[in-house]
């Protein structure tokens, strides 16, 4: 993650980590000082910043990878069509794959620009697992976690500058999105909504748990970006419990189709 203003970024990070520790399911910040239109503007600024840094964010060209894009966007569209996405038509929901096999990550900007790394696609084993991750990212954008959290953290001035296109501020917002510095409460809510979305598809609704199950199977410490998050074990239990409580019936995993797509990367 590239941050130009290290001091301000460190302060911002410290505030976010602290808020992450204090947050619980009940205390997620509902107040948002920004109108929805600012999420959209901010997303556009951040997506332009990403496009201007191909060395750091090598986007997989869509033209020469049409089948892979069609497949991943098809999963996204199933989630967007569940009737559960409040900002379905207002947000962009643009999806780009970042060609970086070493990075296990996915992130979303405010306003719904979704980025998923080839490293994560290759790490997962089935379509429902990827659907779970996409549902999680879509929830972060649709629930407006970034602007809500920055409202709570008092980063309104900085975010306001980013909305207006201040390069330094845009870079900082991007850095915190890539570094997955959402609060614990936001992460729990994104997991919960992922189940809620998938429950209205034919997929196994607990698909998002697959990522954490695989991480545990790998042994060792979780990647650094997960270290301030709720523990993998808790998240697996929470996701599966939610799917059970909602009475989700879907069971589709599409392991074979998924492996064919992975082979194209
Ligand atoms: Zn997240």
């Amino acid at each position: 993650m590239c941050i130009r203003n290290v001091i301000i970024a460190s302060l911002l990070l410290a505030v976010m980590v602290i808020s992450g520790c204090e947050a619980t399911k009940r205390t997620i910040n509902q107040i948002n000082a920004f109108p929805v239109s600012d999420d959209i503007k901010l997303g556009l600024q951040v997506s332009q910043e990403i496009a201007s840094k191909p060395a750091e964010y090598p986007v997989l060209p869509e033209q020469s990878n049409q089948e892979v894009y069609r497949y991943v966007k098809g999963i996204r569209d199933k989630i967007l069509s569940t009737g559960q996405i409040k900002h379905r038509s207002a947000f962009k929901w643009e999806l780009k794959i970042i060609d970086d096999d070493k990075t296990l990550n996915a992130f979303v900007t405010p306003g719904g620009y979704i980025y998923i790394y080839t490293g994560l696609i290759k790490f997962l084993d089935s379509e429902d697992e990827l659907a779970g991750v996409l549902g999680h990212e879509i929830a972060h954008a649709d629930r407006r976690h970034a602007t809500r959290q920055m409202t709570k953290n008092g980063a309104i001035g900085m975010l306001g500058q980013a909305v207006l296109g201040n390069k330094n501020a845009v870079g900082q917002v991007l850095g915190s999105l890539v570094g997955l510095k959402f609060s614990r409460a936001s992460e729990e809510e994104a997991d919960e909504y992922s189940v809620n979305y998938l429950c209205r598809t034919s997929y196994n609704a607990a698909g998002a748990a697959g990522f954490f199950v695989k991480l545990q199977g790998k042994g060792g410490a979780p990647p650094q970006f997960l270290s301030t998050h709720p523990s993998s074990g808790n998240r697996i239990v929470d996701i599966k419990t939610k799917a059970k409580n909602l009475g989700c019936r879907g069971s589709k995993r599409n392991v074979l189709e998924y492996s064919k797509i992975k082979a194209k990367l």
Side-chain angles (χ1 to χ4, degrees):
M1 115 172 137
C2 170
I3 292 178
R4 292 172 208 181
N5 193 331
V6 176
I7 297 169
I8 294 176
S10 305
L11 285 172
L12 182 65
L13 181 62
V15 172
M16 285 174 162
V17 169
I18 291 163
S19 74
C21 293
E22 285 174 349
T24 68
K25 270 182 183 161
R26 308 271 168 243
T27 63
I28 188 160
N29 183 38
Q30 299 297 339
I31 304 160
N32 197 328
F34 296 86
V36 172
S37 58
D38 275 0
D39 282 52
I40 297 167
K41 283 183 209 156
L42 188 59
L44 181 64
Q45 298 289 354
V46 173
S47 71
Q48 286 171 351
E49 175 77 2
I50 292 169
S52 75
K53 292 179 167 174
E56 214 174 321
Y57 304 100
V59 173
L60 191 76
E62 192 156 351
Q63 205 146 38
S64 47
N65 296 276
Q66 285 183 2
E67 202 178 336
V68 176
Y69 269 99
R70 206 179 306 125
Y71 181 87
V72 180
K73 286 182 178 180
I75 302 171
R76 172 202 62 186
D77 292 346
K78 275 182 197 151
I79 297 168
L80 293 179
S81 306
T82 54
Q84 301 296 303
I85 315 295
K86 189 175 177 190
H87 304 290
R88 165 74 183 91
S89 42
F91 285 1
K92 268 288 184 188
W93 307 117
E94 196 177 283
L95 187 146
K96 300 258 187 245
I97 299 169
I98 298 178
D99 190 6
D100 175 357
D101 284 354
K102 293 195 179 72
T103 304
L104 276 185
N105 203 0
F107 65 94
V108 69
T109 74
Y113 294 80
I114 305 162
Y115 295 86
I116 180 147
Y117 286 73
T118 53
L120 180 58
I121 296 177
K122 289 185 178 181
F123 178 73
L124 299 174
D125 286 326
S126 56
E127 200 173 309
D128 61 313
E129 292 178 357
L130 183 57
V133 169
L134 287 175
H136 177 99
E137 297 305 327
I138 286 169
H140 276 315
D142 200 50
R143 304 290 301 156
R144 305 182 64 210
H145 286 160
T147 44
R148 273 157 70 185
Q149 189 160 317
M150 289 183 188
T151 298
K152 188 181 176 187
N153 293 349
I156 294 169
M158 194 271 287
L159 202 60
Q161 287 297 310
V163 170
L164 293 172
N166 177 307
K167 283 289 246 177
N168 200 19
V170 171
Q172 284 179 49
V173 173
L174 173 57
S176 59
L177 293 171
V178 176
L180 289 184
K181 297 295 181 286
F182 281 119
S183 71
R184 173 184 285 241
S186 296
E187 290 307 325
E188 285 171 351
E189 188 177 81
D191 284 351
E192 203 179 307
Y193 273 76
S194 173
V195 176
N196 193 26
Y197 303 153
L198 265 59
C199 197
R200 287 158 170 89
T201 70
S202 55
Y203 292 127
N204 157 40
F211 173 69
F212 299 106
V213 171
K214 277 218 81 170
L215 265 187
Q216 284 190 331
K218 248 181 97 186
Q224 202 192 349
F225 73 81
L226 285 171
S227 61
T228 58
H229 280 44
S231 82
S232 296
N234 290 348
R235 291 178 79 170
I236 294 166
V237 171
D238 287 350
I239 289 167
K240 289 187 171 170
T241 306
K242 174 84 182 169
K244 200 175 161 213
N245 291 346
L246 287 176
C248 306
R249 300 254 175 115
S251 59
K252 247 195 189 164
R253 304 199 62 224
N254 293 348
V255 178
L256 188 65
E257 291 89 331
Y258 192 76
S259 68
K260 284 181 187 163
I261 289 299
K262 281 209 289 188
K264 293 184 186 298
L265 285 172

